[in-house]
Short mmCIF file of all heavy atoms in Angstrom, two decimals:
data_model
loop_
_atom_site.label_atom_id
_atom_site.label_comp_id
_atom_site.label_asym_id
_atom_site.label_seq_id
_atom_site.Cartn_x
_atom_site.Cartn_y
_atom_site.Cartn_z
N GLY Q 821 30.37 11.76 43.67
CA GLY Q 821 30.69 10.37 43.36
C GLY Q 821 32.15 10.20 43.00
O GLY Q 821 32.83 9.28 43.46
N LEU Q 822 32.66 11.13 42.19
CA LEU Q 822 34.07 11.03 41.78
C LEU Q 822 34.98 11.25 42.97
O LEU Q 822 36.02 10.60 43.10
CB LEU Q 822 34.36 12.06 40.68
CG LEU Q 822 33.81 11.66 39.30
CD1 LEU Q 822 34.08 12.73 38.28
CD2 LEU Q 822 34.39 10.33 38.86
N LEU Q 823 34.60 12.18 43.86
CA LEU Q 823 35.40 12.39 45.07
C LEU Q 823 35.44 11.09 45.88
O LEU Q 823 36.50 10.69 46.37
CB LEU Q 823 34.79 13.50 45.93
CG LEU Q 823 34.99 14.92 45.40
CD1 LEU Q 823 34.31 15.92 46.32
CD2 LEU Q 823 36.46 15.22 45.29
N GLY Q 824 34.27 10.45 46.00
CA GLY Q 824 34.20 9.19 46.74
C GLY Q 824 35.12 8.14 46.11
O GLY Q 824 35.87 7.46 46.80
N LEU Q 825 35.10 8.06 44.78
CA LEU Q 825 35.93 7.08 44.07
C LEU Q 825 37.41 7.35 44.35
O LEU Q 825 38.20 6.45 44.63
CB LEU Q 825 35.64 7.14 42.58
CG LEU Q 825 36.40 6.12 41.72
CD1 LEU Q 825 35.94 4.72 42.06
CD2 LEU Q 825 36.21 6.39 40.25
N LEU Q 826 37.78 8.64 44.28
CA LEU Q 826 39.17 9.03 44.53
C LEU Q 826 39.58 8.60 45.94
O LEU Q 826 40.65 8.01 46.14
CB LEU Q 826 39.29 10.55 44.38
CG LEU Q 826 40.68 11.15 44.55
CD1 LEU Q 826 41.58 10.66 43.44
CD2 LEU Q 826 40.61 12.66 44.55
N LEU Q 827 38.70 8.86 46.90
CA LEU Q 827 39.01 8.53 48.29
C LEU Q 827 39.13 7.02 48.46
O LEU Q 827 40.03 6.54 49.17
CB LEU Q 827 37.93 9.09 49.21
CG LEU Q 827 37.96 10.61 49.35
CD1 LEU Q 827 36.76 11.11 50.11
CD2 LEU Q 827 39.24 11.04 50.04
N VAL Q 828 38.24 6.27 47.84
CA VAL Q 828 38.30 4.81 47.97
C VAL Q 828 39.61 4.29 47.40
O VAL Q 828 40.25 3.42 47.99
CB VAL Q 828 37.10 4.17 47.24
CG1 VAL Q 828 37.37 2.70 47.00
CG2 VAL Q 828 35.85 4.35 48.04
N THR Q 829 40.02 4.83 46.26
CA THR Q 829 41.27 4.39 45.65
C THR Q 829 42.42 4.63 46.61
O THR Q 829 43.25 3.74 46.85
CB THR Q 829 41.50 5.16 44.34
OG1 THR Q 829 40.29 5.18 43.61
CG2 THR Q 829 42.58 4.51 43.52
N ILE Q 830 42.47 5.85 47.17
CA ILE Q 830 43.53 6.17 48.13
C ILE Q 830 43.47 5.18 49.29
O ILE Q 830 44.49 4.64 49.71
CB ILE Q 830 43.35 7.60 48.69
CG1 ILE Q 830 43.54 8.62 47.58
CG2 ILE Q 830 44.33 7.86 49.81
CD1 ILE Q 830 43.23 10.03 48.04
N GLY Q 831 42.26 4.97 49.81
CA GLY Q 831 42.09 4.12 50.99
C GLY Q 831 42.57 2.71 50.75
O GLY Q 831 43.32 2.15 51.55
N ILE Q 832 42.16 2.12 49.62
CA ILE Q 832 42.53 0.74 49.35
C ILE Q 832 44.03 0.63 49.12
O ILE Q 832 44.70 -0.23 49.67
CB ILE Q 832 41.75 0.19 48.12
CG1 ILE Q 832 40.26 0.14 48.45
CG2 ILE Q 832 42.25 -1.17 47.73
CD1 ILE Q 832 39.40 -0.29 47.30
N TYR Q 833 44.56 1.58 48.36
CA TYR Q 833 45.99 1.55 48.07
C TYR Q 833 46.78 1.62 49.37
O TYR Q 833 47.67 0.82 49.62
CB TYR Q 833 46.35 2.72 47.16
CG TYR Q 833 47.80 2.78 46.78
CD1 TYR Q 833 48.30 2.00 45.74
CD2 TYR Q 833 48.69 3.58 47.48
CE1 TYR Q 833 49.63 2.02 45.41
CE2 TYR Q 833 50.03 3.61 47.15
CZ TYR Q 833 50.50 2.84 46.12
OH TYR Q 833 51.81 2.86 45.80
N GLY Q 834 46.43 2.59 50.21
CA GLY Q 834 47.17 2.78 51.47
C GLY Q 834 47.07 1.55 52.36
O GLY Q 834 48.07 1.07 52.89
N THR Q 835 45.86 1.02 52.48
CA THR Q 835 45.67 -0.11 53.39
C THR Q 835 46.41 -1.34 52.90
O THR Q 835 47.11 -2.00 53.66
CB THR Q 835 44.18 -0.43 53.54
OG1 THR Q 835 43.50 0.79 53.74
CG2 THR Q 835 43.94 -1.32 54.72
N VAL Q 836 46.26 -1.63 51.61
CA VAL Q 836 46.92 -2.83 51.09
C VAL Q 836 48.43 -2.68 51.19
O VAL Q 836 49.12 -3.63 51.52
CB VAL Q 836 46.47 -3.11 49.64
CG1 VAL Q 836 47.24 -4.27 49.06
CG2 VAL Q 836 44.98 -3.41 49.59
N SER Q 837 48.93 -1.47 50.98
CA SER Q 837 50.37 -1.25 51.13
C SER Q 837 50.82 -1.67 52.51
O SER Q 837 51.84 -2.34 52.69
CB SER Q 837 50.73 0.22 50.94
OG SER Q 837 50.36 0.65 49.67
N TYR Q 838 50.04 -1.28 53.52
CA TYR Q 838 50.43 -1.62 54.88
C TYR Q 838 50.27 -3.08 55.20
O TYR Q 838 51.10 -3.66 55.89
CB TYR Q 838 49.67 -0.75 55.88
CG TYR Q 838 50.53 0.42 56.22
CD1 TYR Q 838 50.58 1.52 55.39
CD2 TYR Q 838 51.38 0.36 57.32
CE1 TYR Q 838 51.42 2.57 55.66
CE2 TYR Q 838 52.23 1.41 57.59
CZ TYR Q 838 52.25 2.51 56.76
OH TYR Q 838 53.09 3.53 57.03
N VAL Q 839 49.21 -3.66 54.64
CA VAL Q 839 49.03 -5.09 54.85
C VAL Q 839 50.24 -5.83 54.30
O VAL Q 839 50.76 -6.76 54.92
CB VAL Q 839 47.74 -5.58 54.17
CG1 VAL Q 839 47.65 -7.09 54.21
CG2 VAL Q 839 46.53 -4.96 54.84
#
Side-chain angles (χ1 to χ4, degrees):
Chain Q
L822 285 178
L823 286 179
L825 183 66
L826 183 65
L827 289 172
V828 163
T829 314
I830 295 174
I832 295 176
Y833 181 82
T835 314
V836 175
S837 300
Y838 265 82
V839 172

